[in-house]
Amino acid sequence: MTKPCCALKVGDFNVVCTFGSLANAWYGYNGVVSDDSANVSPRSEADENRPQSGDEELLPLPLNITFPRRLQRDPCGASVSLGLGNRLGRRREPALVSHFLSSFCKMVWPKLSGAVQKLMDERVQEALKVAIQKLPESMRGEVQYNISFGDSAPSITDVYSWRQHPCVKDGIEVCGKMHWDAAVDMKLTLGTWKFGINRILIDGVGCIIFRPLMDQAPILGGFHLFYCSPPELRVGLVGLGGITRWAAVDNTVSELMAEAFKMVMVLPQRMTQRFANTKIEDMPDFRCPPPVGVLRVKVLGARGLLGVDLGFTGRTSDPYCVISVGSCSQRTSTESRTLEPDWSNDEELFFLVYHERQDLLLQVFDENVLRQDVQLAELPKSAGQTVADLVARCPLPRWLDLEADVQGGAVQLQAWFADLCPTSSIGSADHTYVLALKLFHLKGVSAPEALGAKVRLRIGDLEVLSRPCKVIDPGNVHGFGKRMSTQINELLQKGVDSAIVAEAFNLDTSVVEEVQRVQGKEHSWFGWDEAHYHLLPEDEGETKRKTVQLEVALASNWSVEWRLLVEEDLQQFLMRCRQQRPLPLPFDHGDGIGHLGVSLEVLQGNFGDAD
């Protein structure tokens, strides 16, 4: 028998209840907070009169059942504590969230798989080209692939937290252990090896973000899917018989796919999809949200390291420390001939943080001139050292044990975290600043020149290079999907004037004409719809007087020619970008005048009295 259920929405408050031998409830307010109550007895009069503590708010629902409500936080602002207090005795709400999300993904996956496959095709092709270049030249070859996910939707097997997303007021984030068993059809050639991949299994800490939330159906305007750190990845090899059991082949292919996957779905990269009829005003921000903050790390020293070089007084090393967060890696200076290096005079290391559950990788190496550097020690990966863990453990200098062949090794660290917020200008040198470059559309340029065009930003020693320019779907710009595009084309094929069609769908005539061109594979809208975030370098207090230089290079079969778009004072350019978003920058390309839509913004972080 199907359990009776009811749904209630009051303003921002949502409740869904099912009733039976077990009473379950889902509800959320300014985020997602879920609860369930099993075998809960009716409330007594004493319960009704019991005061509510600030630690556990009680929300009475029908049938005399009380559901605790609590929004938890962890360092850097995440909701992670899943305790419900002593009243329920056990903690079952993570299982409820996990079951709901897995069922939801499985239900909507047939509608999303096509869009996901298109996104993966675009990103994987680019990622594989880059990843293959990192292999030895003897192993490089062609890659043919056809990724077909079928019914293999990602699932959340264990929920760690759920919350209102810290950077998006209208978004909901659920974070947990994500499992994805994807069926693929991929053929690779590495040197003389030819084989295929029919399955990829991915396990790691991932997030699903639903944003934006709409005031009307379908409520969910889109979603983000990503892994916080590189997940565990396994591949199924076919077509080589017994050779597939060779560890060398398996390891090489796994490393290749892991590197490619990291460029597709590991922060700061993510998979994003807009649902039909959702108009996204700022597509670069939707596809590439800003970092949540900046991590500042001071590596003070290490002790008990392994000696791998032979010196006059015995074994010694030339150690240096490397810290990685996401795709960014930074290192300390090298201390010569010592097993207890002192890096206290080194400058702090800064990292952009896109999620507090991003792993922090710390390794200590011995530097060599004539041979490859040797790893001496590292922070234990099994301990799951995340940005949030480090900030919580090291507000003051603290020794952390290292994992190495020699027992007793440790590194001394101190860490700070600063939230980021928009600012109108670059002011005090005491603050940390992050530049946000948003690239929109390229107009007035023919398709052969537009497809593959790139943009370059230079500010002092900072240089940012965009991805290649691509086709822009008019539906993404004006908020409609395939169904409306089909209806528009059907009317145009029946001879209805484009102006009448545009008025019927409340669109501009140019949009209707572009939909018709897209149907005939003759695109004329091009752009990037992406954002880049970089720490603004500090050069002895000269930050305020920096010059910004923007250039564009159109696609060409010949040499790359960079055309200057703008070269002016950074503060003045920021002011211009605030007055008009996006800011159209004209440039001459021989056949006419083209325009590139850009926006340059600044985010500010304040570590307070970090010293």
Side-chain angles (χ1 to χ4, degrees):
M1 180 181 294
T2 303
K3 292 183 180 180
C5 65
C6 70
L8 174 66
K9 178 178 176 64
V10 181
D12 292 329
F13 196 90
N14 305 276
V15 180
V16 178
C17 304
T18 62
F19 306 103
S21 58
L22 297 179
N24 301 326
W26 285 75
Y27 57 94
Y29 184 78
N30 288 336
V32 173
V33 181
S34 71
D35 248 314
D36 78 305
S37 180
N39 300 326
V40 179
S41 58
R43 298 184 71 196
S44 63
E45 184 176 354
D47 290 329
E48 294 289 348
N49 298 326
R50 181 179 299 170
Q52 299 178 5
S53 67
D55 203 32
E56 183 181 57
E57 300 175 28
L58 302 180
L59 175 68
L61 289 180
L63 300 184
N64 294 322
I65 298 175
T66 299
F67 300 90
R69 172 163 93 69
R70 182 166 124 173
L71 186 62
Q72 303 88 1
R73 304 281 176 183
D74 73 353
C76 309
S79 48
V80 62
S81 173
L82 299 177
L84 290 176
N86 297 323
R87 300 196 62 186
L88 294 183
R90 51 180 173 162
R91 301 179 296 179
R92 295 184 58 228
E93 84 254 58
L96 270 178
V97 182
S98 174
H99 177 71
F100 167 75
L101 279 177
S102 299
S103 300
F104 175 82
C105 290
K106 187 175 182 180
M107 179 178 63
V108 302
W109 194 253
K111 297 290 185 181
L112 295 178
S113 59
V116 169
Q117 179 171 338
K118 182 179 179 182
L119 288 171
M120 293 294 286
D121 280 344
E122 294 176 357
R123 303 294 289 275
V124 168
Q125 182 178 8
E126 177 184 351
L128 281 175
K129 289 181 179 179
V130 176
I132 286 178
Q133 295 304 314
K134 298 181 180 181
L135 294 175
E137 189 171 352
S138 60
M139 299 181 62
R140 298 176 190 172
E142 297 181 357
V143 177
Q144 300 176 350
Y145 65 93
N146 176 29
I147 300 179
S148 176
F149 290 97
D151 297 330
S152 54
S155 61
I156 299 286
T157 59
D158 189 11
V159 173
Y160 299 152
S161 62
W162 56 95
R163 63 170 176 195
Q164 176 181 302
H165 195 258
C167 292
V168 187
K169 295 182 179 179
D170 59 352
I172 291 173
E173 173 193 297
V174 181
C175 182
K177 185 177 181 181
M178 188 183 298
H179 173 77
W180 201 350
D181 186 352
V184 301
D185 179 15
M186 186 178 295
K187 297 179 178 62
L188 295 94
T189 301
L190 297 180
T192 58
W193 297 340
K194 294 183 179 181
F195 51 90
I197 299 176
N198 65 353
R199 190 179 182 189
I200 299 179
L201 285 86
I202 309 167
D203 286 290
V205 178
C207 289
I208 297 178
I209 299 177
F210 298 102
R211 64 166 294 212
L213 302 184
M214 315 300 291
D215 294 329
Q216 55 188 4
I219 307 300
L220 301 179
F223 79 96
H224 291 195
L225 185 66
F226 59 84
Y227 285 87
C228 298
S229 296
E232 179 185 355
L233 186 143
R234 292 164 287 171
V235 298
L237 299 179
V238 294
L240 290 180
I243 198 172
T244 59
R245 294 191 296 268
W246 287 10
V249 177
D250 188 57
N251 292 339
T252 301
V253 175
S254 296
E255 291 175 4
L256 172 67
M257 294 306 302
E259 186 69 23
F261 187 80
K262 186 169 65 173
M263 301 178 191
V264 176
M265 280 187 60
V266 178
L267 286 178
Q269 310 300 329
R270 65 185 69 204
M271 181 188 298
T272 62
Q273 180 60 42
R274 174 192 65 92
F275 293 152
N277 302 325
T278 302
K279 185 174 181 179
I280 308 295
E281 297 293 343
D282 191 344
M283 187 60 72
D285 181 83
F286 174 75
R287 289 184 171 173
C288 309
V292 298
V294 178
L295 175 67
R296 176 183 173 187
V297 181
K298 178 70 172 179
V299 185
L300 297 168
R303 65 188 180 192
L305 298 179
L306 176 67
V308 295
D309 299 330
L310 184 61
F312 292 107
T313 59
R315 289 285 179 177
T316 186
S317 293
D318 303 316
Y320 65 91
C321 180
V322 177
I323 296 181
S324 302
V325 177
S327 59
C328 178
S329 296
Q330 297 191 55
R331 56 163 288 176
T332 65
S333 62
T334 300
E335 292 289 307
S336 301
R337 297 184 295 278
T338 180
L339 300 182
E340 296 188 357
D342 180 9
W343 294 302
S344 59
N345 293 325
D346 282 19
E347 294 184 355
E348 292 93 349
L349 309 179
F350 292 84
F351 302 89
L352 294 181
V353 178
Y354 291 85
H355 197 280
E356 61 280 348
R357 290 189 184 275
Q358 283 184 272
D359 284 343
L360 182 138
L361 178 64
L362 185 148
Q363 298 168 300
V364 181
F365 292 90
D366 170 61
E367 186 174 67
N368 295 295
V369 178
L370 301 179
R371 57 189 176 91
Q372 188 176 4
D373 293 352
V374 178
Q375 181 175 319
L376 302 177
E378 65 179 354
L379 280 180
K381 296 179 181 179
S382 59
Q385 189 75 264
T386 65
V387 171
D389 294 330
L390 186 70
V391 173
R393 296 175 64 185
C394 302
L396 298 175
R398 180 169 180 173
W399 288 97
L400 302 178
D401 292 336
L402 293 172
E403 187 175 69
D405 294 336
V406 176
Q407 298 294 326
V411 62
Q412 189 179 31
L413 301 176
Q414 187 174 7
W416 305 266
F417 184 85
D419 294 315
L420 289 174
C421 60
T423 182
S424 58
S425 62
I426 300 173
S428 173
D430 296 332
H431 296 103
T432 298
Y433 296 97
V434 176
L435 280 179
L437 173 64
K438 297 181 180 179
L439 301 177
F440 292 85
H441 301 162
L442 184 63
K443 299 180 180 179
V445 180
S446 63
E449 289 183 308
L451 290 175
K454 294 185 178 182
V455 176
R456 182 169 64 185
L457 168 72
R458 289 177 173 177
I459 301 178
D461 295 332
L462 174 65
E463 181 174 318
V464 180
L465 187 65
S466 74
R467 291 195 182 99
C469 183
K470 60 184 180 181
V471 170
I472 296 296
D473 184 355
N476 282 338
V477 180
H478 294 276
F480 58 86
K482 289 185 177 179
R483 180 179 299 179
M484 186 181 292
S485 297
T486 302
Q487 293 171 347
I488 291 174
N489 283 308
E490 288 177 351
L491 291 173
L492 293 174
Q493 290 172 4
K494 292 178 180 179
V496 181
D497 187 77
S498 59
I500 297 176
V501 176
E503 183 179 357
F505 288 97
N506 194 26
L507 296 172
D508 191 80
T509 305
S510 62
V511 180
V512 174
E513 293 172 349
E514 179 63 17
V515 172
Q516 187 177 25
R517 285 191 290 267
V518 171
Q519 178 73 12
K521 307 297 183 182
E522 298 178 356
H523 301 269
S524 66
W525 288 15
F526 308 99
W528 293 265
D529 281 342
E530 67 182 25
H532 299 263
Y533 303 95
H534 292 269
L535 285 162
L536 185 63
E538 300 179 5
D539 298 334
E540 299 180 0
E542 296 296 322
T543 299
K544 296 182 181 180
R545 294 188 292 275
K546 284 185 178 295
T547 300
V548 57
Q549 184 182 74
L550 267 172
E551 300 169 297
V552 61
L554 301 181
S556 172
N557 293 328
W558 310 104
S559 60
V560 177
E561 180 183 354
W562 290 99
R563 292 174 169 84
L564 185 64
L565 296 171
V566 65
E567 186 173 12
E568 65 179 277
D569 179 75
L570 176 59
Q571 295 281 24
Q572 293 179 358
F573 188 68
L574 290 172
M575 185 178 301
R576 282 212 291 155
C577 290
R578 288 195 301 272
Q579 294 171 352
Q580 186 176 2
R581 295 183 181 177
L583 178 66
L585 298 178
F587 63 94
D588 186 359
H589 60 92
D591 297 332
I593 302 297
H595 289 84
L596 173 65
V598 304
S599 176
L600 191 64
E601 305 170 9
V602 177
L603 305 175
Q604 174 182 293
N606 182 14
F607 291 98
D609 188 13
D611 297 331

